Amino acid sequence: MIRLIAAALLAGSALPLAAQEQIASPDGRIVVTLNTDNDGVPFYEVARDAKPLIARSQLGFLLTDADPLRRNFALASATRAQGNDRWETSWGERRFVDDRHNQITVIFREKTQTPRTLTVTFRVFNYGVGFRYEFGNDAERPVTNIGEELTEFNVAPEGTAWWIQGGDWNRYEYLYHRTPIDAVSTAHTPITMRLEDGTHLSFHEAALVDYSAFWFKRMDGQRFRTHLSPSSRGPKVSRTGAFNTPWRTIRIADSAAGLVESDLELNLNEPNRLGDVSGYFKPQKYIGIWWGMIRGDWTWAQGDRHGATTARAKQYVDFAARHGFAGVLIEGWNYGWDGNWFGNGRDYSFTRPYPDFDLEEVARYARSKGVQIVGHHETGGNINVYEKQLEDAMALYDRLGIRLVKTGYVADAGGIISCNADVAEPCGAEVFEWHDGQRQVQHHLKVVETAARHRIAINPHEPVKDTGLRRTYPNWVAREGARGQEYNAWARFGNGPDHDPTLVYTRMLAGPMDYTPGVLSLVGDRGMPFSSTLAKQLGLYLAIYSPIQMAADFIENLAAHPRELEFIKRVPADWAQSRLIAGEVGDYAIFARQDRASQDWYVGGVNDGTARDLTLTFDFLEPGRAYRATVYKDTADNTYENESRHDIAYDDLTIRQGDSYSVRLAPGGGLAIRLAPARR
Ligand code: NOJ
């Protein structure tokens, strides 16, 4: 850590500046500089190995009821601290997380008669930077009304970006763009970049609580600014009393693996507030009455093709019991699906089952078989209707022993129906909000906290992006928040072969995704083929992490693939450690993960549309120990592009540390290997 009091001439500034503050990462490679420019605009810079990474970038706010917090500031004080901690995760990709950082809190003070302050805390880790604004309690002005946050990210070197657009109708459900950095428009985070010298960056946020998510908006060149998700009120964010903004985060790594293995956002979240949730949530695999509705064979609504009947539910429970699946998801069990529920949700009841679905009996039957029903609350985006029933809905599931609930917010972006708090109850006026605005951010936490009181875990679809809150609320177990496997059912070649290896380095940096792998039939709507080989469906369990992993196909199709089903039954959803052992952004991703509950290792992942030969090494295995390897791989010449996508090759061999093993990844292919210690 260096403190420079002497005048410093900063790149790009004409005049010497009076003072600046600097803070370095524990290994000294990353250095953040803080100061104000000649107009008194607070700014930060980030350098790595003495090379500029984030050039001068402003800090500040527009307020809707006061002068902007933008210019005419001077650096007033700086306080420093350090963190050196190791904490245990409730579940996840690794059991222990190290948190080593250096911290600086800087106060900028206005050069006016009645000066206001802007307080920013930076934490610098060896693998990135996080910073947040801290607002104190102002007795005279207790409410802060933010019109826009003016934080900038001025990326210095040129490079390539992988991103999806923010502010468009389909929330986060887009295929990723790969463009030069200066061709990004307005992007959601995480956004991933590879710079010319091979440095990898990811911009995101951590601990998004009671605030609007930000979109990453390009202003010019490679200069980006926070664009807060809109609100139906004037200010985009309104807060009373003292508060901190979410952390703005920049992962910095030498390689794609470094980006993926970073714990930056988790470390910036508050510790577990719920205590031990293992009494009601255990990482698990589940099946469901689901794929039939997604493909259009069955319906959520009542009628001849209604999916969620008592008889079918029992059939799925039997299959789960026979094969050791923990849960059975049942969608379309409740009133509200018969009309237009998309972006509407006005008719949903979260307690009244359809007549052909005996909820009490199905729950009793499941309990008797040692299987749990995975509950479902689709809201159609109507949080007004949902919040009114929330307590009763969770209490019902609690009474029935249902411990995991999937929620859903199917509405176009900006179509979340809420209630104008200024109009008397019952809701006099509906207002429309964004899936990632402050109101919806509040809603998600309300659901998670209500569920926690009822010992229930939550998995929202059409969610707000994940920002690491699973650390604080370990019953918030997964989310959707990207194009999932369901898209493979809907259009020719659905997600395409590149999507999965792109998700690994983009969406997945945010947190677990309920991607719903395990469609072994590889067939979507009206016979449409997947852009995936059979081996890729297994590789997905290793590439796309979630503590809840679905085997999404019809049970008949799962049963028709006994060897693959055996892998799915065994593959853990909770790991002691995880490493990306081979991969590049958007191209391919092969992980080695060690089971948290045994000494087994698993190796595998997903490929893009280009065939690839890999030689794997096994440095991570225990020295001198023999492991029985069961391999599921692509054949010598198969491809997702024709019927050979169904082909798969198996191998059974002994592997030790130091051995190598060559495999071919097919176009649209994948790989899955189980390594179990051989008996000594
Ligand atoms: C979209 C979700 O992604 C899907 O999983 C769910 O089945 C439907 N909405 C209905 O809730």
Side-chain angles (χ1 to χ4, degrees), residues 604-615:
V606 292
N607 191 27
D608 66 0
T610 309
R612 217 173 285 280
D613 292 312
L614 291 183
T615 299

Side-chain angles (χ1 to χ4, degrees), residues 176-193:
Y176 279 77
H177 308 286
R178 175 191 177 140
T179 67
I181 296 172
D182 66 2
V184 174
S185 58
T186 297
H188 276 302
T189 70
I191 174 173
T192 296
M193 296 178 187

Side-chain angles (χ1 to χ4, degrees), residues 62-69 116 141 145:
L62 297 180
L63 305 171
T64 59
D65 54 1
D67 289 349
L69 289 164
R116 299 173 299 171
R141 231 176 215 289
N145 287 313

Side-chain angles (χ1 to χ4, degrees), residues 109 177 198 215 225 287 427 453:
R109 180 166 288 116
H177 308 286
W215 306 337
R225 186 183 291 167
I287 57 171
C427 183
R453 275 195 283 105

Side-chain angles (χ1 to χ4, degrees), residues 72-77 107-112 115-118:
N72 209 19
F73 282 90
L75 217 162
S77 71
I107 300 179
F108 296 99
R109 180 166 288 116
E110 273 180 321
K111 295 181 275 184
T112 57
R116 299 173 299 171
T117 56
L118 187 66

Side-chain angles (χ1 to χ4, degrees), residues 476-514:
W476 198 342
V477 293
R479 319 179 190 212
E480 190 186 40
R483 280 169 73 115
Q485 174 106 294
E486 63 188 19
Y487 276 79
N488 288 333
W490 293 333
R492 190 169 173 76
F493 289 148
N495 281 333
D498 301 352
H499 184 59
D500 307 318
T502 306
L503 281 181
V504 168
Y505 305 93
T506 52
R507 158 67 182 83
M508 296 312 297
L509 303 186
M513 177 175 178
D514 187 28

Side-chain angles (χ1 to χ4, degrees), residues 255-296:
S255 64
L259 211 55
V260 168
E261 292 168 6
S262 165
D263 293 308
L264 181 63
E265 288 79 11
L266 280 182
N267 272 332
L268 291 168
N269 273 272
E270 299 296 320
N272 183 353
R273 276 204 190 138
L274 302 181
D276 183 6
V277 298
S278 65
Y280 64 92
F281 175 71
K282 289 202 177 21
Q284 61 186 263
K285 284 155 290 173
Y286 70 103
I287 57 171
I289 299 179
W290 180 72
W291 187 239
M293 281 89 95
I294 293 296
R295 272 187 24 144

